[in-house]
Amino acid sequence: MPGDESLDELAALAETAGAIVVGRMLQRRDHPDPASYVGAGKLEELRAARPGLGYTLVLVDDPLSPAQQLRLERELDVKVLDRSALILDIFASRARSHEAALQVELAQHRYLLPRLRGQWEHLERLEGAIGARGPGETQLETDRRLIGGRIARLQRRLEAVRRQRALHRRRRARQGIPVVALVGYANAGKSSLMRALAGADVLIADQPFATLDPTTRRVAAAGPGIPAGLAFLLTDTVGFMQKLPAQLISAFRATLEELESADLLLHVVDATSPTAELQASTVEATLAELGLGDLPRLVALSKADGRDGDAAGDAGSLRALGAGVGGAVKPPIGLVVTSALRGWGIDALRERLSYELFGGVEAGVIAAGAAQGDAATPPAGGGRASSR
């Protein structure tokens, strides 16, 4: 993602966390400075800007080593957080269920553990003073043991959650109800699409990571040739994002394993994003990392009403975007253009999902706008999703 757009995303994360963004700086260099992340000149520029901007927190878009974070805080005399710490803070504020709270706490402890030494630097600087060094080292080791023990307990509790989820998945499999899992970049519109399809009472907010806990709802199948009474389960999971903390992906693995039981992935892509193709690639890379790269996926271009001009009149640009996104997604079985706000393409999407899961008359690719009804030639490779 280009630097300016990545900083836009960081600013959105900061506002989600409750911060007020007062300025930004971008430095282009081959490699971050190993000691302070930014170069000496940029560090001085940051320090000089503080009286005018009045900032009390500095956010860095890339992961910081413990040494880099400590150096920046010492030089700037303010708290410094990297993108990973900011995302963890947002997740901590959004965790509602007991499981989500456990997952976030585990990720926070894993992030904190290598940074403990900085907490006791004030004692280390007193080396040579009688009684100073020993207590500092003792406290540091004590904290490490406490956090290590807490991490082990959290891992055991999450393993129990993992087993319970596996049991629920086996029960669903015995019932023979197919599962569609929503995946997508953070703030791509997954929750809005889920509410439009299933009437789910999920939180909808125009900000990243509005929901953390997986939500599953039953959706009635519909469409030509689809027998009455059939239904499938639609599951919403946490959104993905570039530079997600490794600790977070690891901690949320129990939740993300819900995707493994899916018969079909519905990859939601924000049609209004200038980096839609890159966002789709990021989601695909994360799915591959989780071992889910081979699941069939249908693409839903969301927020079509938010593009310039009427969506029906803008069908050409939507199709061009769809072609680009289709190239970023591991060969999709089809694509549907939607707007949850206007109701565009929702029926077409329900029919396409039903066709892929249960068979029936091909629903085709719909470029739907205010006029509705323009159906494109059905995509090559369309067909029924495999049921496992």
Side-chain angles (χ1 to χ4, degrees):
M1 182 177 290
D4 287 329
E5 291 167 359
S6 187
L7 285 182
D8 288 341
E9 191 172 271
L10 184 67
L13 288 169
E15 290 168 357
T16 297
I20 300 174
V21 179
V22 297
R24 63 171 69 187
M25 288 185 180
L26 180 65
Q27 183 177 36
R28 303 188 186 279
R29 51 185 297 157
D30 293 336
H31 304 287
D33 186 286
S36 57
Y37 179 73
V38 296
K42 185 62 67 173
L43 187 57
E44 179 56 37
E45 188 179 342
L46 276 167
R47 188 187 298 111
R50 186 181 176 191
L53 295 176
Y55 65 80
T56 57
L57 171 69
V58 170
L59 299 173
V60 178
D61 197 34
D62 292 309
L64 291 174
S65 70
Q68 288 171 331
Q69 182 179 358
L70 191 61
R71 173 75 178 276
L72 284 171
E73 289 185 338
R74 186 166 56 228
E75 294 289 340
L76 300 175
D77 196 27
V78 295
K79 188 175 184 62
V80 176
L81 298 177
D82 60 14
R83 178 185 275 238
S84 295
L86 178 60
I87 291 175
L88 288 173
D89 183 78
I90 293 171
F91 270 58
S93 68
R94 298 290 170 81
R96 295 291 179 264
S97 70
H98 178 62
E99 177 189 350
L102 289 176
Q103 291 169 324
V104 173
E105 185 182 354
L106 176 59
Q108 287 178 316
H109 282 315
R110 284 174 170 167
Y111 179 84
L112 175 63
L113 190 58
R115 289 165 171 77
L116 277 179
R117 179 167 294 278
Q119 307 297 320
W120 297 98
E121 193 201 34
H122 64 291
L123 289 178
E124 291 179 352
R125 286 200 300 266
L126 296 177
E127 182 177 353
I130 297 175
R133 179 166 178 167
E137 290 181 342
T138 300
Q139 185 63 59
L140 180 62
E141 292 306 318
T142 298
D143 285 352
R144 282 177 174 161
R145 284 195 299 273
L146 289 173
I147 290 181
R150 181 61 178 167
I151 287 175
R153 289 192 294 274
L154 288 169
Q155 287 174 324
R156 288 194 295 270
R157 292 167 71 178
L158 283 173
E159 184 58 34
V161 170
R162 189 176 184 177
R163 290 193 297 270
Q164 187 68 24
R165 283 194 176 278
L167 178 61
H168 290 164
R169 287 195 294 270
R170 288 195 294 270
R171 287 175 179 170
R172 289 202 302 259
R174 286 196 296 269
Q175 293 173 353
I177 303 178
V179 177
V180 176
L182 285 159
V183 296
Y185 206 77
N187 207 29
K190 296 188 291 86
S191 296
S192 296
L193 203 55
M194 183 171 193
R195 174 173 286 186
L197 283 168
D201 52 344
V202 295
L203 173 66
I204 296 176
D206 186 19
Q207 53 187 213
F209 308 122
T211 55
L212 294 185
D213 298 307
T215 303
T216 300
R217 294 292 185 271
R218 188 184 182 97
V219 179
I226 302 297
L230 293 178
F232 58 90
L233 297 179
L234 186 64
T235 296
D236 187 13
T237 57
V238 65
F240 301 138
M241 181 175 278
Q242 276 205 332
K243 305 175 185 177
L244 270 180
Q247 302 95 333
L248 199 59
I249 294 177
S250 177
F252 271 72
R253 192 167 293 273
T255 296
L256 294 173
E257 282 178 355
E258 286 290 301
L259 301 177
E260 292 182 358
S261 64
D263 297 279
L264 176 66
L265 298 181
L266 180 57
H267 186 158
V268 182
V269 180
D270 182 358
T272 66
S273 171
T275 58
E277 294 177 29
L278 182 57
Q279 290 183 0
S281 296
T282 298
V283 173
E284 288 297 314
T286 307
L287 291 173
E289 181 182 342
L290 293 169
L292 303 170
D294 293 330
L295 283 175
R297 62 259 280 136
L298 181 69
V299 174
L301 285 183
S302 67
K303 308 182 186 180
D305 60 294
R307 291 179 63 85
D308 292 337
D310 177 80
D314 198 35
S317 69
L318 282 168
R319 291 179 190 279
L321 174 61
V325 169
V329 175
K330 186 159 187 166
I333 56 179
L335 180 146
V336 181
V337 178
T338 67
S339 165
L341 181 64
R342 302 289 185 89
W344 297 344
I346 301 302
D347 289 341
L349 179 58
R350 187 194 308 272
E351 290 182 8
R352 184 58 194 259
L353 290 170
S354 301
Y355 169 78
E356 295 297 338
L357 295 169
F358 302 109
V361 177
E362 173 64 76
V365 177
I366 305 299
Q372 285 282 356
D374 277 344
T377 303
R384 185 173 180 176
S386 61
S387 180
R388 296 176 294 122

